[in-house]
Amino acid sequence: MDLSFSPEDIAFRDRVRAFMAQNLSPDTRRKVEQGRALDKSDVVEWQRTLNRVGWATPSWPASAGGPGWSAVQRYIFMDELYAACAPEPLSFNVSMIGPVLIAYGSDEQKARFLEATANLDIWWAQGFSEPGAGSDLAALSATAVRDGDHYVVNGQKLWQGMAHRADWMFTLVRTDPKAAKKQGGISFLLIDLKSPGVTIRPIITIDGRHEVNEVFLDDVRVPVGDRVGEENQGWTYAKYLLSNERTGIARIGMTRRILARVADALASVEAGLTEAAQARHAAEATAIEAELRALEITQLRVLAAQQAGQVDPRSSILKIKGVELRQAASELLLRVVGPAGYAFVYEGQGEAPSEAASNYFTLRAASIYGGASEVQKNIIASSVLGL
């Protein structure tokens, strides 16, 4: 596999790099670099800045309003995004519901939602996990009962990232409790979170932030026209969505950014490291970087398969290994900076961990979200290895 960039790819990279330097707000850049929480306005402003030049939806085809980039161009764009300490385009919109609507949505849904989704006029939340259904998502119990031109939805969803900022939620519900297989009785609905019967309650995580929520659905009426695809076929659309999510979940550039912080900390006099400790930590960083390079090659292969329209189960490899490397890098950074890394800093609404500690705490959950690592190993065993 030829891993060198063509002259056209290099020119594209330089154009993206220049755009980031000229258009990203210094305040937003500083927040991302320091691992601080972004305000909603930071995310919206940056995504709309990208959307003005057609870059907010890197994986979307030109026919759906995206840039129509190749797999290599998408990779370069995301790599430069991380290098510039820029926020990612909102993944719920860009990597999850957008591709599902493009592939399976009705013409009316595409006209109604795609442009607004790209421009963050609509902020989406993901309504998949429940108290009794996370890794085993097909065990979900939220129900949708047909009542004329509407479904009446009841249930509880858990761990909804940024649902308190969201306008709409895409969710899975059980429409046929008697289906022979539990995956067969599930439908994919779009729910306006302003609908009567929707309650959003915050969950404060270990790093002191409000990013996730639980959502209660009590007799929420959802028009049948807000169902994606066919009734009881939601599992097919969910698998497609999760494949797209896991492809981007490797976040190689993010790990590289953490390793750059490790290098800075190793060179800092304030770290107070002995020569032996510096050498040991540097060797660990080099080992992580080598594995990261191998993961890059795998990601490019998976992206190439996706570009050909295939749902590639190897995206589960990206999820597992990408998370492991980010966790390893964040742990290494915390050890290198030492006790100073555990200090708390004021963030405007209370105290929160320092950048090193925040990265470490936040990434503990990465083994679970996007599909637990243990479940991903089962997918690899059955779909990749044929076991």
Side-chain angles (χ1 to χ4, degrees):
M1 186 177 184
D2 184 1
L3 297 178
S4 60
F5 290 139
S6 69
E8 292 77 17
D9 291 332
I10 293 171
F12 175 77
R13 182 198 63 193
D14 292 343
R15 186 155 60 96
V16 170
R17 187 173 295 176
F19 180 88
M20 302 286 179
Q22 293 167 10
N23 291 278
L24 179 62
S25 156
D27 183 57
T28 299
R29 186 196 311 274
R30 191 160 41 249
K31 286 181 181 179
V32 173
E33 186 176 25
Q34 295 173 356
R36 293 162 55 197
L38 295 173
D39 296 331
K40 181 176 182 178
S41 60
D42 297 328
V43 179
V44 173
E45 178 186 357
W46 177 238
Q47 183 145 332
R48 289 178 179 172
T49 297
L50 292 174
N51 199 42
R52 281 195 289 272
V53 293
W55 291 1
T57 53
S59 63
W60 292 16
S63 59
W69 285 338
S70 68
V72 172
Q73 286 175 314
R74 293 200 302 272
Y75 173 78
I76 290 172
F77 174 77
M78 294 305 296
D79 202 46
E80 291 299 324
L81 195 81
Y82 291 123
C85 294
E88 295 179 46
L90 187 67
S91 61
F92 302 116
N93 286 37
V94 172
S95 303
M96 299 185 195
I97 188 59
V100 169
L101 290 175
I102 292 168
Y104 300 106
S106 67
D107 290 341
E108 188 276 335
Q109 288 169 344
K110 292 175 185 178
R112 182 182 179 191
F113 291 119
L114 284 182
E115 185 176 341
T117 295
N119 202 50
L120 251 182
D121 298 329
I122 296 175
W123 186 305
W124 289 91
Q126 181 182 29
F128 280 16
S129 295
E130 298 181 5
S135 298
D136 182 13
L137 185 57
L140 62 88
S141 58
T143 60
V145 178
R146 185 75 177 260
D147 180 22
D149 293 334
H150 288 76
Y151 289 103
V152 179
V153 181
N154 284 279
Q156 179 186 355
K157 296 294 179 176
L158 195 61
W159 309 120
Q160 277 59 63
M162 296 298 173
H164 56 296
R165 294 180 176 177
D167 306 294
W168 283 72
M169 179 174 72
F170 53 91
T171 190
L172 296 177
V173 292
R174 191 163 299 285
T175 44
D176 182 4
K178 298 180 181 179
K181 289 187 176 181
K182 56 186 178 182
Q183 292 91 341
I186 293 172
S187 295
F188 194 114
L189 297 185
L190 311 176
I191 298 180
D192 185 343
L193 291 176
K194 297 183 293 296
S195 302
V198 176
T199 303
I200 300 172
R201 190 159 67 187
I203 299 173
I204 306 303
T205 50
I206 192 171
D207 59 359
R209 294 180 179 176
H210 175 198
E211 294 185 350
V212 293
N213 306 268
E214 51 188 339
V215 178
F216 298 89
L217 305 165
D218 298 302
D219 291 331
V220 178
R221 295 185 66 83
V222 178
V224 172
D226 289 341
R227 183 192 71 220
V228 175
E230 299 177 24
E231 187 172 88
N232 299 324
Q233 296 300 310
W235 192 249
T236 298
Y237 316 139
K239 287 193 296 181
Y240 182 81
L241 181 151
L242 292 170
S243 176
N244 278 284
E245 179 187 6
R246 288 164 191 159
T247 299
I249 212 165
R251 289 180 168 83
I252 290 166
M254 186 182 293
T255 306
R256 188 177 287 121
R257 193 165 66 205
I258 298 173
L259 289 175
R261 287 283 295 110
V262 171
D264 290 342
L266 285 172
S268 171
V269 175
E270 287 77 13
L273 296 171
T274 65
E275 190 172 323
Q278 278 187 317
R280 184 172 66 253
H281 293 321
E284 290 181 68
T286 300
I288 295 172
E289 190 170 356
E291 290 195 79
L292 196 63
R293 182 59 172 157
L295 186 62
E296 281 186 287
I297 297 171
T298 304
Q299 175 157 359
L300 287 170
R301 288 172 175 157
V302 173
L303 286 174
Q306 276 201 331
Q307 186 159 295
Q310 303 171 26
V311 176
D312 195 330
R314 290 178 300 174
S315 61
S316 292
I317 298 173
L318 301 180
K319 197 279 177 182
I320 294 172
K321 199 61 185 178
V323 166
E324 287 179 354
L325 293 179
R326 288 208 310 285
Q327 289 176 335
S330 70
E331 183 177 345
L332 177 58
L333 177 60
L334 199 60
R335 283 191 279 114
V336 169
V337 299
Y342 296 89
F344 274 60
V345 293
Y346 187 70
E347 281 206 355
Q349 295 182 346
E351 292 187 340
S354 68
E355 173 209 353
S358 179
N359 275 333
Y360 175 81
F361 287 140
T362 300
L363 286 172
R364 296 313 94 191
S367 300
I368 300 173
Y369 62 65
S373 294
E374 289 79 3
V375 173
Q376 302 314 306
K377 290 176 182 178
N378 287 339
I379 293 172
I380 293 167
S382 61
S383 300
V384 179
L385 302 178
L387 300 178

